[in-house]
Amino acid sequence: MRGIQDRIGSEPHDMTLDSVSAAQRMTTRDLPEGLGPAVDDWTADLDATTRSGKGMRSALFDAVYTHAGGRDEAVRTAAGQALELLHEAFLVHDDVADGDDHRRGRPNLQGLTTTRGAEQGLPRETAAHVGMVGGLLGGDLLLVAAMGQFARLPVPGPVLHRAMVEVEGAVVASVAGEYADVQGAARGEPITQEHALAIGAAKTAAYSVTLPMVLGVVLAGGPEEMIPPLREAGRHLGTAYQVVDDLLGVFGDPAVTGKSNEGDLVRRAPTVLLAHAATTDLWPSIDAALGEADPDPSAARSLLAECGARDHALGIAEDLVTAARAALDSPAVPHELRSALDPHLATALERTR
């Protein structure tokens, strides 16, 4: 991803904490028997597509939990698994919403289910419908597994109640943000930068960064005054991750990112890239390149770089990380915790996938 990668940096170091290799056991243990081999194949595909994450959410939780005084290994492990399962659920649903059949360079659940149906002789449209439903319901299973894992956290009742309020709020924000993203793309009209950032804060920051950090304090029984600055830092940092993700979705190398660099352009995803482009003289040409009849993603990509949208979006991401650092400078956040979170702030701008 020349240009972006040259400025952002190299591949971030591995911060994986908890694998989701138990996904199949956690989501299929209560499935009724006798449903046939198709269900067995589908749940096996679900398991196979939930093992490749970077573990950022569980690592963020762990950093805050331990520095807020948490010492219970059972709580630490269970919360990390729940956060990663929640992430996987939203990834599966996101792929369904965007009509994507690949994730991390490999067929995703929807893609595997569609291909299996086609190989078994289903008509193309029928196989695609079965694949879509397979993805939708697979995401549902992961979401139920995540919520069940949260609900069984081995903590006192009042602490669990507080934690579940945070989880519910993050899930609602992400679902609403995803709908706003899809609806904005469907309208095909440019949105304001503020609207684009609000979508990123809702669909990504709320569950990916803010939730893990706030849960770290809640489950550790840490000081209440730590939560507001961490919540603010999480919103800024998570939104920065989304802005960089939008950059990679247009200017990234598919061989590195594992996903197409044309999908967001073709569907006119409501990002800060298009929001900025719409304010420039090159917008009519970009708008034409993204025409529904015969879109030309390559031409649109070049024009977005030419009009300054790429550099503008990267600048926004950098400003958001700066704002996150400022929030963490609160006296309520221990110095050791700020140091532990610093690699995560750097990683937001170092991502190449």
Side-chain angles (χ1 to χ4, degrees):
M1 182 179 164
R2 296 187 62 83
I4 292 296
Q5 286 178 185
D6 289 346
R7 292 187 60 190
I8 291 180
S10 59
E11 186 68 17
H13 64 280
D14 184 10
M15 293 188 293
T16 298
L17 177 66
D18 290 300
S19 166
V20 195
S21 60
Q24 185 178 19
R25 174 182 59 79
M26 296 177 70
T27 57
T28 65
R29 58 187 172 192
D30 295 325
L31 288 183
E33 296 181 357
L35 296 180
V39 172
D40 294 335
D41 291 339
W42 170 62
T43 54
D45 288 341
L46 172 63
D47 187 43
T49 56
T50 55
R51 298 187 177 190
S52 302
K54 294 184 283 292
M56 179 190 78
R57 291 141 199 90
S58 54
L60 282 169
F61 167 80
D62 185 63
V64 177
Y65 180 73
T66 55
H67 286 87
R71 297 292 181 267
D72 192 320
E73 185 65 22
V75 173
R76 173 182 171 273
T77 300
Q81 288 179 342
L83 287 163
E84 295 302 335
L85 280 168
L86 181 63
H87 175 53
E88 291 295 332
F90 283 150
L91 289 187
V92 174
H93 282 157
D94 184 66
D95 286 346
V96 172
D98 293 346
D100 292 335
D101 59 7
H102 279 71
R103 168 74 64 171
R104 300 164 182 154
R106 299 181 300 174
N108 57 21
L109 180 60
Q110 178 169 308
L112 289 172
T113 307
T114 298
T115 299
R116 193 183 304 279
E119 291 174 345
Q120 293 172 347
L122 293 179
R124 179 177 177 180
E125 289 188 3
T126 303
H129 175 71
V130 172
M132 181 275 291
V133 173
L136 176 65
L137 298 180
D140 290 346
L141 277 183
L142 289 170
L143 183 57
V144 168
M147 298 302 286
Q149 185 85 345
F150 282 123
R152 291 188 296 272
L153 288 172
V155 295
V159 176
L160 181 60
H161 176 79
R162 174 71 186 280
M164 291 305 295
V165 169
E166 294 291 343
V167 171
E168 181 182 9
V171 170
V172 169
S174 184
V175 170
E178 182 68 28
Y179 179 77
D181 177 89
V182 172
Q183 196 268 349
R187 288 178 62 86
E189 300 172 359
I191 63 174
T192 65
Q193 177 173 292
E194 291 73 19
H195 191 185
L197 292 175
I199 291 174
K203 79 170 190 174
T204 300
Y207 90 90
S208 278
V209 184
T210 302
L211 177 63
M213 294 203 297
V214 171
L215 276 186
V217 179
V218 171
L219 295 179
E224 187 70 21
E225 58 267 25
M226 287 178 63
I227 292 180
L230 289 178
R231 197 183 297 279
E232 181 181 357
R235 184 178 72 254
H236 293 313
L237 178 58
T239 307
Y241 264 93
Q242 183 58 56
V243 172
V244 174
D245 193 63
D246 293 338
L247 280 162
L248 293 169
V250 173
F251 295 100
D253 180 354
V256 177
T257 64
K259 60 183 179 180
S260 168
N261 61 4
E262 297 184 352
D264 283 357
L265 288 171
V266 171
R267 75 180 187 92
R268 289 175 175 255
T271 65
V272 293
L273 288 165
L274 292 190
H276 175 80
T279 67
T280 72
D281 293 338
L282 287 180
W283 175 247
S285 298
I286 296 170
D287 188 38
L290 297 177
E292 292 184 7
D294 187 23
D296 187 347
S298 179
R301 184 181 303 109
S302 296
L303 290 167
L304 284 171
E306 184 179 345
C307 78
R310 176 173 58 180
D311 289 339
H312 177 78
L314 183 57
I316 292 295
E318 291 170 343
D319 290 345
L320 286 165
V321 171
T322 298
R325 292 186 190 280
L328 292 175
D329 281 339
S330 167
V333 180
H335 174 75
E336 295 80 7
L337 176 56
R338 291 198 298 271
S339 297
L341 292 174
D342 190 67
H344 296 274
L345 274 69
T347 297
L349 300 177
E350 293 172 356
R351 295 173 57 210
T352 59
R353 64 184 179 91

